Amino acid sequence: REKQVLDQARKFISDYTSGSLSQPLKSTEEGIQYIIHEKGKGNLPKKGTPVFVNYMSLLMDGTAFDNTFQYGESIAFTLGEGKMIRGFEEILQQLPKGTTCTFVVPSVLAYGTTGKGDLVPPNSDLVFYVELLNF
């Protein structure tokens, strides 16, 4: 599914930057913009909750720099422990189990002015496709 998700995320970026998304973006108080593809059911995860996700992360130019699809298995981490960037953890707390969405994280909620080595330049907004599988 890696290629399918990559194509979908790149189309989102193209539509996002050209202002031609097929549905309106929602925004969090922190400034994360997102589109729900499939809304799950149930409670929302809270800080301290272990979550299981599939995701793909991309730069705004469409370059993918990290994803779980290449390994064929989801990752698990506990919300609020700083294992993922702040914006990623913030949006997950607003999604019920089973939700799939694509979202844009402002650089201040990602890697900020330092970036992430050769993978993410400083001051980069990031795009994520995520599937919140379980918690």
Side-chain angles (χ1 to χ4, degrees), residues 41-55:
K41 297 179 179 149
N43 297 326
L44 305 178
K46 297 180 172 128
K47 286 183 180 175
T49 303
V51 294
F52 299 83
V53 298
N54 282 328
Y55 73 92

Side-chain angles (χ1 to χ4, degrees), residues 25-97:
L25 286 165
K26 296 179 182 186
S27 294
T28 68
E29 289 181 15
E30 297 284 336
I32 301 166
Q33 296 181 304
Y34 64 99
I35 288 179
I36 301 281
H37 303 294
E38 185 175 331
K39 188 168 184 178
K41 297 179 179 149
N43 297 326
L44 305 178
K46 297 180 172 128
K47 286 183 180 175
T49 303
V51 294
F52 299 83
V53 298
N54 282 328
Y55 73 92
M56 180 173 287
S57 47
L58 301 94
L59 303 175
M60 290 301 291
D61 68 2
T63 303
F65 65 89
D66 189 22
N67 79 81
T68 60
F69 298 95
Q70 65 188 335
Y71 307 114
E73 58 185 59
S74 62
I75 64 159
F77 65 94
T78 301
L79 282 175
E81 292 186 346
K83 302 288 184 191
M84 302 295 280
I85 61 167
R86 185 171 149 212
F88 192 92
E89 291 199 17
E90 290 289 329
I91 193 74
L92 288 184
Q93 293 175 65
Q94 299 184 39
L95 305 175
K97 178 173 81 173

